[in-house]
Amino acid sequence: SLLRPELGAYSPASNLSQNDVIRARQRAGEPIVNLGFGQSPFPIPQPAVDSLRQHAADGRYLPACGIPELRQAVSEFHRRLDQLDPDIFTPDGVVCGPGSKELIFLIMTVFRGTVYIGAPSWTTYRPQTLLSGRSCVTLGLSAADSWKITPEIIGANLTGDPAGCWSWPTRITLRDSSELAALAEFLRRERFIVVSDEIYARLNFSLSHRSLARLYPEGCIVTSGLSKWAGAGGWRLGYALFPRPLESFRRAVASAATHTYSCCAAPVQHAALALLGNPEETAKHSNRSARILAALARHCERRLTEAGAVVAPAGGGFYLLPDFEVAREGLRRLLGSASKEPTGAAMCERILSDIGVALMPAGPAFLRPESELTVRLCFVEFDGAAALQAVRELELEEADNSAPLPDDFAAKYCEPTYSAVVRLADWLRSVQQA
């Protein structure tokens, strides 16, 4: 074989592969509500669109780490919104790339040591350790504890090698402050290098993100980008902020950038500058988005919990990981597999067939057992532009623009996700009675 032996079972990103299949079926006319893919429903803010159009003819190679104005804007953006120390996280410590996914891969590639990843995990972290030749320790987490990474869980799995910890943004960036402080102290004591993936930071439902890099700045690399809060996933603009004590690490990643992607597209860099260079307006847009997502998350959590699912409340972003274990016996009868354990994948196929709702099983792709009946539910299928306009109109009458939206907001402005979750809860009840 021409492949490295450890890549024999290597496969494409499962979330992208499933989304391609579902979209093809939708184009063929199937009435499917896709709650399995994390594409932002909100439009890209107009200043960025205007800037992209203005600079569309700029086809130059630009600096591999980003134009100086953009790196300055990234540094200032996170100083103002996340209170990162400007003496530690400077413009010179910023590396821009074609998506934070590429930068995370380069960080893994130049890193010497063991990578620790919480499970469930974003579907790309583990495959990137294989591609980069890194050894990986999987940290099994629990829905009952809201999928939190704790010092105890990491400590029970230490190998003694130089260590890096990759954090999925549904956990570390959304923790209680005392828990976050205890985790930071543990990581400092054990001399971890942490990649804090804060791509959803601007969509924190409390509207007040607390970065791990505030508590452990010397050992924390922050990654983020435009794909989630700005709705610009296809533009491929991400960045990493390296602290001054990790300057040699940054130089290695910057060198790797020159040998791989060369630079981000010039028009996209200017468009990103239009967003990141205006943090106050950016915060207004992302806060409105977060309020909408919080209202829809409350609906999903309430409906599914009432139907018997175990649901760790979301603190931000647009995902839930509900556990449908309560459906196991009924599902076994429905599938006609009295002697065979139902799998998450089989359950998701049945849900798609029965009610036309696509979910993603949180099995091996998320580093969970194949038999686990946990799914990833992305509550993003709705008209984000209309929902944002509705929030703007509400703000004219509100005394507090940070308060939860009215209880009926999701029903009015978040279809078809709202109804799809109602059908999903009804399906879960019916399976338990099968």
Side-chain angles (χ1 to χ4, degrees):
S1 173
L2 297 177
L3 291 179
R4 287 160 36 199
E6 67 270 24
L7 297 181
Y10 189 69
S11 59
S14 54
N15 57 335
L16 297 178
S17 297
Q18 175 174 304
N19 189 54
D20 289 343
V21 171
I22 296 300
R23 290 178 67 181
R25 292 176 63 172
Q26 289 174 323
R27 287 195 298 272
E30 292 191 51
I32 296 173
V33 180
N34 188 5
L35 303 186
F37 188 68
Q39 170 70 54
S40 170
F42 302 111
I44 300 171
Q46 194 60 41
V49 176
D50 294 341
S51 179
L52 187 76
R53 185 180 294 113
Q54 178 185 347
H55 293 92
D58 189 349
R60 297 172 296 160
Y61 285 103
L62 297 180
C65 292
I67 57 176
E69 300 91 335
L70 178 57
R71 297 170 74 191
Q72 175 71 44
V74 168
S75 178
E76 178 66 11
F77 182 86
H78 286 274
R79 182 194 70 79
R80 297 183 71 167
L81 296 186
D82 297 332
Q83 294 80 53
L84 296 191
D85 189 332
D87 293 327
I88 297 178
F89 292 96
T90 70
D92 290 340
V94 174
V95 178
C96 298
S100 56
K101 179 187 286 190
E102 173 70 13
L103 292 169
I104 291 170
F105 174 63
L106 294 184
I107 291 169
M108 285 198 190
T109 300
V110 305
F111 176 66
R112 180 183 65 85
T114 299
V115 176
Y116 290 74
I117 301 174
S121 165
W122 180 42
T123 59
T124 285
Y125 292 146
R126 174 59 174 154
Q128 286 192 345
T129 67
L130 290 174
L131 277 177
S132 59
R134 302 281 77 81
S135 60
C136 177
V137 173
T138 300
L139 306 172
L141 308 177
S142 167
D145 196 29
S146 300
W147 309 113
K148 293 175 183 175
I149 294 178
T150 66
E152 292 76 19
I153 291 173
I154 303 174
N157 290 275
L158 290 177
T159 65
D161 295 327
C165 184
W166 266 244
S167 70
W168 200 24
T170 53
R171 288 191 294 271
I172 287 183
T173 59
L174 302 174
R175 299 175 63 92
D176 172 84
S177 58
S178 62
E179 293 177 326
L180 193 63
L183 181 60
E185 183 54 38
F186 170 84
L187 295 168
R188 176 179 288 111
R189 184 171 66 250
E190 297 295 338
R191 302 180 66 185
F192 269 78
I193 301 299
V194 180
V195 174
S196 190
D197 185 351
E198 302 188 10
I199 196 76
Y200 293 94
R202 307 277 69 85
L203 298 178
N204 190 310
F205 295 164
S206 71
L207 309 185
S208 179
H209 171 65
R210 185 171 176 82
S211 174
L212 181 66
R214 289 179 59 188
L215 301 174
Y216 183 35
E218 71 275 19
C220 195
I221 302 166
V222 177
T223 61
S224 191
L226 306 184
S227 62
K228 304 305 178 182
W229 66 267
W235 284 12
R236 308 313 301 144
L237 192 292
Y239 51 82
L241 296 93
F242 291 80
R244 276 186 166 174
L246 296 181
E247 172 57 19
S248 61
F249 206 147
R250 187 207 66 81
R251 286 199 303 269
V253 172
S255 177
T258 67
H259 295 298
T260 51
Y261 59 81
S262 299
C263 68
C264 300
V268 174
Q269 291 200 48
H270 290 289
L273 179 60
L275 287 176
L276 298 170
N278 193 348
E280 287 79 11
E281 286 303 310
T282 291
K284 288 180 183 178
H285 174 85
S286 61
N287 287 353
R288 288 171 182 142
S289 301
R291 294 179 72 196
I292 294 166
L293 293 169
L296 191 47
R298 291 196 305 270
H299 162 68
C300 297
E301 291 161 4
R302 182 175 64 253
R303 289 283 186 170
L304 296 177
T305 299
E306 289 172 351
V310 176
V311 187
F318 33 72
Y319 304 106
L320 288 173
L321 289 169
D323 185 346
F324 291 171
E325 179 62 30
V326 68
R328 184 174 297 278
E329 291 305 317
L331 189 62
R332 183 181 284 115
R333 291 190 290 271
L334 281 178
L335 297 176
S337 54
S339 61
K340 186 178 180 182
E341 201 65 28
T343 66
M347 180 182 68
C348 287
E349 290 173 7
R350 183 69 189 229
I351 291 171
L352 180 58
S353 173
D354 287 351
I355 62 172
V357 175
L359 301 167
M360 189 169 181
F366 290 83
L367 306 183
R368 303 299 295 181
E370 186 175 17
S371 62
E372 187 171 281
L373 301 185
T374 300
V375 301
R376 183 177 77 163
L377 187 158
C378 312
F379 42 95
V380 293
E381 281 284 285
F382 60 93
D383 186 340
L388 282 173
Q389 181 57 36
V391 172
R392 291 189 193 97
E393 292 171 2
L394 280 174
E395 286 177 344
L396 298 176
E397 305 171 4
E398 289 179 324
D400 181 2
N401 292 163
S402 65
L405 292 172
D407 289 340
D408 62 349
F409 185 91
K412 288 182 178 178
Y413 300 106
C414 297
E415 290 287 7
T417 293
Y418 184 92
S419 294
V421 171
V422 172
R423 295 203 306 276
L424 182 59
D426 290 343
W427 179 90
L428 185 56
R429 290 190 185 91
S430 70
V431 170
Q432 294 172 62
Q433 299 166 3

